[in-house]
Amino acid sequence: MAVRVVVVGAGFGGLGVAHALRGAGVQDVTVLERGDDVGGVWRENTYPGAACDVPSPLYSWSWATNPTWGRRYSTQPEILDYIRRTAAADGLRDLVRTGTSVTALEHVDGTWRVTTDRGVLEADVVVPATGQLSNPSIPGIPGADSFAGPAFHSAQWRHDVDLTGKRVAVVGTGASAIQFVPAIVDRVSQMTVFQRSAPYVVPKPDRAYTAAHHRLFERHPGVPAGERRLTYWITERFNGALEGTSPITRPLMATIREAWRLQLRRQVRDPELRRRLVPDYELGCKRLLFSNDWYPALDRDHVDLVTDAVTAVEPEGVRTADGTLHEADVLIWGTGFAATEFLGGIDVRGVDGLPLDEVWADGARAHLGMTVPGFPNLFVVYGPNTNLGGSSIIGMLEAQAGWITEVVRRIDAGAAHQVAVRREAWESYDAEMQRRLGNGIWAGCDSWYRDGGRITTNWPGLVAEYRRRTARVDWSELEEVSPRPTSPRR
């Protein structure tokens, strides 16, 4: 009987796995999506100014190139439209059950029991593809729920709240904030931005594609393909620089740092404000951000950048460590996501009821970022140590989709039933990851890449290396967990 596969999440990762499985002849695939449509983070994050910081020709599926991108760096509505159109054209949309939240995954008698808010399914293989940036994070600041006005996270934007003429408090200066702050700054009467750590913000070489560009792309597909290859080559050089093993690490980082310094000096008039916008950590240790209008937005007369620590939220505003109450009408959290809480919100239990939370008590780890001993036929997409400091994550997701598909094809053919990584391979791989990450640039500061003393989110090498390591399944690293069950399927 054909293998039953349940994919959790209908973003780039989950849909990419479904595409690869269907292409390999695996027909019984169901994609469960908690939202009301496909799209993942690009469906959820609708804040003003939302856009990608990877050029569009590379930030797209290799099997679904798009010559009609409107910009080099596409905006959220256009990316979401691309995902929707591609999913529909490829037949993937028919596999998706929307409005279905998965609450538990339990391995019972050789089968995965998938519990949702709309009932229970059974599957031979489960592929969680919920991503690292799916669950918004709001810090546990005293009084966070006491604010009298509208308060919301950037990933849960309240479009019904009119910001015109309002006093707006923004907590956080990460990748989302540097996009939505410039987009709303001219509508508000006063803005207070609370910065815990200054980011490095470098110029974004963005531009709109004209009708002439689109004619060129349509008539000569090699042009956008060439841009994709060039962007990939450039970002791979940056990935190598972050690992610290590339001979161009120092000159490349020096060039990026100079671009940051010149932009800051050119765009911020006030020397004191410039001083507060200088990061206190090494370039690359935290996520490098791209924007042409972040610094000008902070340099407005009605904008105040506060670097004192936030100690409390009160009905009237935000109080900082110096005792000042910064009054506001609207509070926006730009505090990112619970990136290290992989599969957050899903109770996962493997063989003999083993809780995944227990295995990951001191930090998530998975062989190739996908498989954990004791959890047969559970393969995580965009799992531990697969995030990138540079380049397009879609390259990593497609590599994972190919590896998972090879495993599922073997299961589907009856050559195996339940497979998971051998413990020694899992431990050896994790030791390698932590050793390499400990020698790289991310080890030098506290960031969302870390869970305690471990860097659990990021991949330490090039995308090309990860592709090589996942191009073929090394079956010596996997083991058959138990024989095929004899009980009939329900």
Side-chain angles (χ1 to χ4, degrees):
M1 186 176 291
V3 66
R4 301 163 298 176
V5 182
V6 167
V7 179
V8 184
F12 270 115
L15 293 174
V17 170
H19 168 83
L21 289 171
R22 287 285 294 270
V26 180
Q27 297 299 318
D28 195 350
V29 180
T30 301
V31 182
L32 304 180
E33 170 54 54
R34 68 182 181 183
D36 60 1
D37 201 354
V38 300
V41 296
W42 296 107
R43 183 197 64 249
E44 295 295 311
N45 287 264
T46 62
Y47 60 80
C52 191
D53 57 7
V54 175
S56 302
L58 186 58
Y59 195 79
S60 50
W61 283 301
S62 63
W63 45 271
T65 57
N66 178 25
T68 64
W69 289 118
R71 307 190 63 85
R72 178 175 289 143
Y73 293 85
S74 293
T75 60
Q76 175 269 336
E78 190 174 16
I79 296 172
L80 179 58
D81 180 66
Y82 165 78
I83 296 173
R84 286 171 169 165
R85 285 188 292 104
T86 304
D90 200 56
L92 302 176
R93 186 61 183 81
D94 297 335
L95 309 179
V96 181
R97 298 187 192 179
T98 59
T100 306
S101 294
V102 174
T103 57
L105 301 171
E106 185 180 10
H107 187 267
V108 180
D109 296 332
T111 300
W112 281 99
R113 180 178 297 162
V114 182
T115 302
T116 78
D117 58 356
R118 301 177 66 176
V120 177
L121 295 80
E122 289 189 348
D124 301 301
V125 176
V126 176
V127 182
T130 55
Q132 296 187 18
L133 306 176
S134 57
N135 293 318
S137 174
I138 296 179
I141 297 172
D145 295 330
S146 68
F147 186 69
F152 52 88
H153 192 280
S154 62
Q156 299 162 332
W157 196 270
R158 290 273 307 274
H159 292 280
D160 61 317
V161 176
D162 185 4
L163 300 178
T164 305
K166 297 293 195 303
R167 298 171 300 172
V168 176
V170 175
V171 180
T173 56
S176 298
I178 70 157
Q179 293 184 342
F180 74 74
V181 164
I184 67 174
V185 68
D186 289 331
R187 294 157 51 189
V188 307
S189 63
Q190 179 185 339
M191 179 180 289
T192 307
V193 178
F194 298 88
Q195 173 185 277
R196 183 177 63 177
S197 177
Y200 283 97
V201 182
V202 297
K204 187 175 186 178
D206 194 14
R207 66 159 300 159
Y209 290 134
T210 65
H213 282 106
H214 291 140
R215 286 194 298 270
L216 177 66
F217 297 161
E218 290 280 4
R219 295 172 183 172
H220 304 283
V223 174
E227 185 176 2
R228 182 184 179 97
R229 289 192 297 270
L230 177 61
T231 303
Y232 173 73
W233 183 87
I234 292 172
T235 56
E236 284 284 77
R237 305 289 77 72
F238 183 62
N239 286 332
L242 290 174
E243 186 180 10
T245 59
S246 170
I248 67 168
T249 294
R250 296 188 70 173
L252 178 58
M253 288 309 206
T255 300
I256 296 173
R257 183 179 177 85
E258 183 63 13
W260 159 77
R261 188 189 69 81
L262 290 174
Q263 173 160 271
L264 176 62
R265 186 168 186 83
R266 185 177 67 252
Q267 294 184 338
V268 178
R269 300 163 297 174
D270 180 8
E272 171 57 24
L273 178 58
R274 283 203 303 268
R275 184 190 64 78
R276 284 181 282 156
L277 291 169
V278 174
D280 60 359
Y281 53 88
E282 185 179 358
L283 174 67
C285 189
K286 298 184 181 183
R287 183 174 175 178
L288 181 67
L289 305 181
F290 298 83
S291 175
N292 300 322
D293 47 16
W294 167 247
Y295 290 140
L298 297 182
D299 199 38
R300 306 292 180 87
D301 292 336
H302 67 295
V303 177
D304 186 18
L305 179 71
V306 176
T307 57
D308 291 300
V310 173
T311 56
V313 175
E314 301 178 12
E316 296 79 19
V318 178
R319 192 172 295 277
T320 48
D322 62 352
T324 302
L325 176 64
H326 304 267
E327 295 184 350
D329 303 310
V330 180
L331 172 59
I332 304 175
W333 299 99
T335 46
F337 300 86
T340 60
E341 296 179 9
F342 298 88
L343 279 62
I346 303 176
D347 181 18
V348 184
R349 296 179 182 269
V351 174
D352 298 326
L354 177 65
L356 185 59
D357 283 348
E358 183 177 303
V359 178
W360 285 352
D362 61 346
R365 63 197 76 186
H367 183 65
L368 297 173
M370 290 184 279
T371 177
V372 180
F375 296 82
N377 291 9
L378 180 79
F379 307 113
V380 183
V381 170
Y382 200 2
N385 297 121
T386 60
N387 186 56
L388 297 172
S391 196
S392 170
I393 191 62
I394 297 176
M396 301 288 281
L397 301 179
E398 290 190 359
Q400 291 162 20
W403 188 93
I404 292 169
T405 296
E406 185 178 344
V407 175
V408 173
R409 286 184 66 188
R410 183 161 177 165
I411 295 171
D412 198 31
H417 177 60
Q418 297 182 71
V419 294
V421 64
R422 296 181 184 276
R423 179 166 294 275
E424 57 269 26
W426 175 66
E427 292 175 343
S428 174
Y429 180 83
D430 180 63
E432 177 200 346
M433 292 297 100
Q434 294 307 309
R435 174 182 55 78
R436 290 173 60 179
L437 289 163
N439 294 329
I441 200 166
W442 296 312
C445 65
D446 184 30
S447 71
W448 61 265
Y449 301 147
R450 286 181 171 275
D451 185 1
R454 293 169 50 84
I455 299 174
T456 60
T457 59
N458 285 11
W459 166 249
L462 305 182
V463 175
E465 179 195 347
Y466 189 81
R467 285 175 168 171
R468 286 195 301 271
R469 295 178 72 156
T470 55
R472 292 287 183 272
V473 175
D474 184 348
W475 294 102
S476 69
E477 297 176 336
L478 305 180
E479 62 181 351
E480 178 86 7
V481 175
S482 62
R484 181 182 294 274
T486 58
S487 59
R489 292 180 173 177
R490 296 186 291 274

